[in-house]
């Protein structure tokens, strides 16, 4: 079954084709300035063989260097059968379109990314007939963006970075930077990004924190996922829910919460005070430092 993170990791390139420029810079591969991108059919099935589909397929037009094909695969785990499929995709695409194909694999965990990045020789050991060399994006090489201003410079790249780092232990600062960056962003840009991130995080622990941050930091949504998040925000806006959210974030970050700190949080009935503690819970090194400025 195709998971929601799988869909988000490749669909973001369909929604934001210009993302390739930022990803190319991260990977250190210069494809030249883009002058056009076309989303192509992903069905690579021949007349009789088994059906084969690439996740996303784009035709890229560059300034000066002509056109090429970008096949994007979202890979959730190691799969020894995949390299053969990827080699088939590239050979088929080269034959069908007579354009040079490039394979970009997007991963959410380091082990899978490092596995996918290894060149694979196809042929006998004496002489490889083909060598598969994917470009790979994952937590091992995507930037960790914890500054809202940096995220705002390229929201598509920041979104992909957030999704690839969704399993990082200390993901709170990354999520907070994104909601801060989105506060002043127009809704027609903000809404699909919120939805992509919700989809991309799937069932990771970061997904629960993302939903809470969206409810606290961002209030005006129109898309289905965003409406759901806003409904949750209304229910969790009560004082007692804010206290629970503070404890949830601290525990999610692996911060020890002594009983006296827990009692002070759950015993507070001032909504504004709790909101301040909630914001500090995202970055505080210890539970006691929630109250440092008081």
């Amino acid at each position: 079954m195709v998971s929601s993170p799988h869909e988000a990791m490749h669909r973001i390139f369909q929604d934001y084709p210009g993302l390739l420029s930022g990803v190319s810079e991260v990977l250190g591969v210069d494809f030249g300035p883009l002058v056009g991108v076309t989303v192509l059919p992903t069905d690579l099935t021949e007349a009789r063989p088994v059906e084969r589909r690439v996740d996303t397929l784009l035709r890229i037009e560059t300034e000066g260097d002509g056109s090429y094909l970008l096949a994007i695969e979202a890979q959730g785990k190691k799969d020894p059968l995949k390299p053969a499929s990827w080699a088939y995709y590239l050979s088929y695409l080269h034959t069908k379109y007579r354009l040079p194909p490039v394979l970009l694999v997007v991963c959410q965990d380091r082990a899978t990314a490092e596995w996918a990045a290894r060149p694979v020789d196809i042929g006998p050991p004496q002489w490889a007939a083909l060598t598969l060399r994917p470009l790979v994006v994952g937590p091992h090489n995507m930037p960790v963006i914890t500054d809202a201003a940096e995220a705002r410079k390229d929201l598509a790249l920041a979104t992909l970075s957030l999704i690839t780092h969704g399993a990082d232990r200390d993901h709170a600062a990354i999520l907070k930077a994104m909601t801060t960056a989105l506060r002043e962003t127009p809704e027609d840009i903000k809404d699909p990004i919120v939805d992509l991130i919700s989809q991309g995080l799937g069932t990771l622990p970061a997904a629960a924190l993302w939903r809470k941050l969206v409810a606290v930091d961002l209030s005006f949504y129109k898309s289905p996922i965003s409406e759901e998040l806003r409904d949750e925000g209304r229910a969790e806006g009560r004082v007692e829910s804010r206290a629970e959210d503070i404890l949830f974030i601290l525990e999610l970050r692996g911060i020890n919460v002594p009983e006296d700190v827990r009692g002070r949080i759950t015993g507070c009935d001032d909504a504004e005070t709790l909101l301040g503690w909630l914001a500090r819970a995202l970055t505080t090194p210890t539970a006691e430092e929630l109250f440092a400025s008081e």
Side-chain angles (χ1 to χ4, degrees):
M1 179 182 294
V2 176
S3 64
S4 61
H6 178 280
E7 288 297 291
M9 284 192 286
H10 71 85
R11 188 168 64 83
I12 187 173
F13 287 89
Q14 297 180 27
D15 296 345
Y16 305 96
L19 171 61
L20 179 61
S21 295
V23 169
S24 298
E25 185 176 340
V26 169
L27 295 173
V29 180
D30 183 11
F31 287 110
L34 304 187
V35 296
V37 175
T38 305
V39 179
L40 300 175
T42 59
D43 191 346
L44 307 184
T45 308
E46 296 186 48
R48 285 177 294 178
V50 65
E51 180 179 298
R52 299 177 188 267
R53 289 181 184 272
V54 67
D55 288 333
T56 284
L57 180 61
L58 304 175
R59 175 176 175 148
I60 308 295
E61 313 290 341
T62 67
E63 184 180 318
D65 294 325
S67 306
Y68 66 94
L69 300 175
L70 181 65
I72 303 163
E73 286 277 285
Q75 192 65 27
K77 61 182 179 180
K78 298 178 184 179
D79 181 351
L81 300 180
K82 267 296 182 180
S85 296
W86 291 339
Y88 171 88
Y89 296 167
L90 296 174
S91 298
Y92 178 88
L93 291 171
H94 185 261
T95 302
K96 179 176 180 178
Y97 292 98
R98 295 298 176 183
L99 291 172
V102 176
L103 174 64
L104 176 65
V105 182
V106 185
C107 306
Q108 266 185 314
D109 72 275
R110 187 183 184 93
T112 301
E114 291 177 344
W115 163 81
R118 291 180 299 188
V120 176
D121 291 332
I122 299 173
Q126 299 90 334
W127 189 268
L130 294 171
T131 299
L132 178 70
R133 295 176 62 223
L135 288 171
V136 179
V137 164
H140 67 302
N141 59 5
M142 284 298 286
V144 176
I145 301 175
T146 57
D147 179 73
E150 189 67 23
R152 202 175 290 114
K153 290 179 184 177
D154 190 337
L155 288 172
L157 183 67
T159 298
L160 181 63
S161 174
L162 190 156
I163 291 172
T164 57
H165 286 286
D168 285 11
R169 177 175 175 80
D170 193 13
H171 50 252
I174 303 173
L175 301 182
K176 182 63 177 177
M178 180 57 84
T179 54
T180 302
L182 291 175
R183 281 178 187 166
E184 305 302 324
T185 303
E187 289 185 16
D188 60 334
I189 298 174
K190 178 193 308 180
D191 290 348
I193 288 177
V194 170
D195 292 351
L196 262 173
I197 293 172
S198 297
Q199 186 180 25
L201 294 178
T203 58
L204 291 171
L209 178 55
W210 173 248
R211 298 172 80 85
K212 293 179 184 296
L213 282 175
V214 166
V216 171
D217 288 353
L218 307 173
S219 305
F220 307 102
Y221 291 109
K222 300 293 169 61
S223 66
I225 290 179
S226 301
E227 288 291 347
E228 178 187 344
L229 293 174
R230 185 170 63 176
D231 290 342
E232 289 182 9
R234 292 190 186 112
E236 295 173 359
R238 300 189 304 270
V239 167
E240 57 269 26
S241 289
R242 282 188 180 168
E244 292 172 4
D245 290 345
I246 294 167
L247 294 172
F248 174 83
I249 290 171
L250 292 174
E251 290 166 5
L252 194 65
R253 294 182 59 214
I255 292 177
N256 179 56
V257 182
E259 283 305 315
D260 60 329
V261 172
R262 184 181 299 271
R264 184 170 176 181
I265 293 170
T266 56
C268 179
D269 59 3
D270 182 78
E272 290 304 314
T273 298
L274 286 167
L275 188 60
W277 292 348
L278 181 61
R280 288 183 214 147
L282 297 167
T283 57
T284 183
T286 66
E288 289 83 358
E289 290 191 39
L290 279 176
F291 322 122
S293 63
E294 299 172 13

